[in-house]
Amino acid sequence: MKMNWAKEAWSKLTNNNKNKNNILCRRFANGAFSDHQLTRDFLVKLWVADTKITNPKNQIRSRRFVRHHQGAADEAKRVLKQPPITQSALSNPKSLQEAKVAPLLARSNLLITRDIEWANLVFGFEQENRYAIVDVCYPQSPVGFIREQSSIIARQLLRTRRPFVAQITDAMGSELFTVRRPIWWITSSIYAEIDGKEIGVVHRRWHLWRRIYDLYLGNKQFAVVENPGFWNWTFTMKDINGEVLAQVDRDWRGFGFEILTDAGQYVIRFGSSDPSSKIGLASAIEDLEVSRPLTLAERAVAVALAISLDNDYFSRHGGWGLPFMAVGE
């Protein structure tokens, strides 16, 4: 009787072990786990991993993570897509330098907006200037960016007279050209460079209240700006015959923006755009009538002019003050 009981117990124990081995074999027979030693620590880690996978909170968190990164990827694709040009007449550049800047400058109107400098606003700490460039015909995403590079000490001591280099990039962050502004005391100058080669310069002429700039392409002057000063915020580029070539307008952004910040906004108008680009709200934009369209290299100099205007007249010199009070030096 005792022997029969012992045999039955041994038989049940053997069957249970076989079932467990079958389950383990089905779970670990494939892959790298087939030869793994099934220790107690290994089984504990496996149980913890299985718990994390089957936990509903982790599944929800994982789905949120996937949706977030998919949304970020879609947003990146949307931003990185360069809007089409709006002046097809400039789609065939004459040199490699012009071909490099064509995706940004072959446009009828460029809106340049300066970022708010919170450290300057709160603490009076001068920061590097940053700008976003938008084609007004395609305002959904920027077509380029401008970022200053300068010494932190020079920014605090010299303020608007500091030397700096600014990189102008397209929407993807690829550098197109740079502008270089040396230190100045009486009159300022700013140079436009493509691939390290100087292509043009903007020289400011001193006047008690008028704002006068001479624009050069190489050694040849192609335009002049003669602004009457005071509250006139329109800077028209004219040739030697007084014909209009382009225009830089400084927009009023509201009382709070103008009093408290340096976040200025400028529109560079190069002439008429293609009819195909005037869709939606862009159809209400009035084109500037020009005697001739500027070349792409001349437009790079015009962008340098807008940056120089922002630093010469529309940047506060520290503390509180109206930007239009700086009418002369």
Side-chain angles (χ1 to χ4, degrees):
M1 190 70 179
K2 292 181 179 179
M3 292 295 293
N4 291 336
W5 177 82
K7 288 181 179 180
E8 290 178 2
W10 176 256
S11 178
K12 291 180 180 180
L13 181 62
T14 304
N15 290 334
N16 290 337
N17 289 335
K18 287 181 178 181
N19 292 334
K20 291 181 179 179
N21 290 334
N22 289 336
I23 293 173
L24 292 173
C25 288
R26 284 196 297 271
R27 182 174 292 183
F28 302 108
N30 51 3
F33 294 105
S34 56
D35 297 330
H36 202 289
Q37 187 178 359
L38 301 178
T39 63
R40 181 183 179 90
D41 293 336
F42 176 78
L43 293 175
V44 171
K45 293 179 181 179
L46 182 64
W47 176 78
V48 172
D50 288 340
T51 303
K52 291 182 178 180
I53 292 175
T54 57
N55 191 345
K57 293 183 179 180
N58 290 326
Q59 290 180 356
I60 295 173
R61 192 178 297 115
S62 178
R63 286 195 294 270
R64 288 176 180 174
F65 177 81
V66 171
R67 285 198 301 267
H68 170 73
H69 281 268
Q70 285 179 347
D74 294 339
E75 181 70 15
K77 290 180 181 178
R78 184 181 68 84
V79 172
L80 293 179
K81 185 178 179 181
Q82 189 84 355
I85 63 176
T86 57
Q87 287 186 323
S88 57
L90 297 173
S91 59
N92 296 319
K94 300 179 181 179
S95 64
L96 293 177
Q97 292 179 336
E98 290 193 346
K100 189 173 183 178
V101 300
L104 175 65
L105 300 180
R107 304 178 184 277
S108 57
N109 299 279
L110 291 178
L111 181 66
I112 302 178
T113 305
R114 181 171 166 180
D115 292 346
I116 297 177
E117 301 169 4
W118 292 105
N120 189 14
L121 175 63
V122 179
F123 304 108
F125 182 84
E126 191 71 28
Q127 296 176 262
E128 292 178 334
N129 296 336
R130 296 185 182 184
Y131 309 80
I133 308 175
V134 174
D135 187 338
V136 296
C137 293
Y138 301 98
Q140 297 84 2
S141 60
V143 296
F145 299 95
I146 302 174
R147 180 173 181 178
E148 174 192 342
Q149 294 179 341
S150 59
S151 168
I152 185 173
I153 298 176
R155 290 199 305 272
Q156 311 316 312
L157 297 180
L158 300 175
R159 296 289 177 172
T160 59
R161 286 180 166 82
R162 66 182 180 270
F164 66 81
V165 174
Q167 290 183 332
I168 292 85
T169 66
D170 58 14
M172 282 76 73
S174 302
E175 181 182 309
L176 303 179
F177 66 100
T178 60
V179 295
R180 176 176 54 86
R181 182 173 153 113
I183 188 174
W184 63 278
W185 303 110
I186 299 176
T187 58
S188 63
S189 298
I190 190 167
Y191 300 84
E193 300 175 348
I194 300 179
D195 293 329
K197 182 180 179 181
E198 180 185 321
I199 62 168
V201 61
V202 179
H203 293 301
R204 173 186 166 194
R205 271 190 269 164
W206 186 90
H207 195 277
L208 185 59
W209 64 86
R210 298 176 66 191
R211 301 159 179 174
I212 305 175
Y213 289 87
D214 297 313
L215 288 77
Y216 292 83
L217 189 66
N219 296 323
K220 183 179 179 181
Q221 183 175 359
F222 69 92
V224 63
V225 173
E226 295 180 336
N227 179 276
F230 294 102
W231 292 279
N232 190 309
W233 289 3
T234 299
F235 301 84
T236 304
M237 286 175 272
K238 298 182 179 181
D239 61 12
I240 191 172
N241 299 319
E243 301 290 336
V244 176
L245 298 176
Q247 195 173 81
V248 180
D249 287 324
R250 210 288 191 169
D251 290 343
W252 173 267
R253 300 192 67 189
F255 190 79
F257 269 100
E258 301 298 341
I259 296 299
L260 300 177
T261 74
D262 288 339
Q265 192 172 75
Y266 304 84
V267 180
I268 306 180
R269 306 171 67 191
F270 291 120
S272 59
S273 57
D274 297 336
S276 59
S277 63
K278 288 190 173 184
I279 56 176
L281 296 177
S283 60
I285 299 174
E286 294 186 7
D287 292 328
L288 178 70
E289 293 187 5
V290 297
S291 60
R292 68 170 180 88
L294 293 180
T295 65
L296 294 170
E298 290 171 339
R299 295 181 183 208
V301 180
V303 173
L305 170 65
I307 298 174
S308 187
L309 287 171
D310 183 55
N311 285 270
D312 285 343
Y313 297 110
F314 300 103
S315 293
R316 295 201 323 271
H317 299 253
W320 306 90
L322 296 174
F324 50 78
M325 294 302 290
V327 296
E329 293 297 335

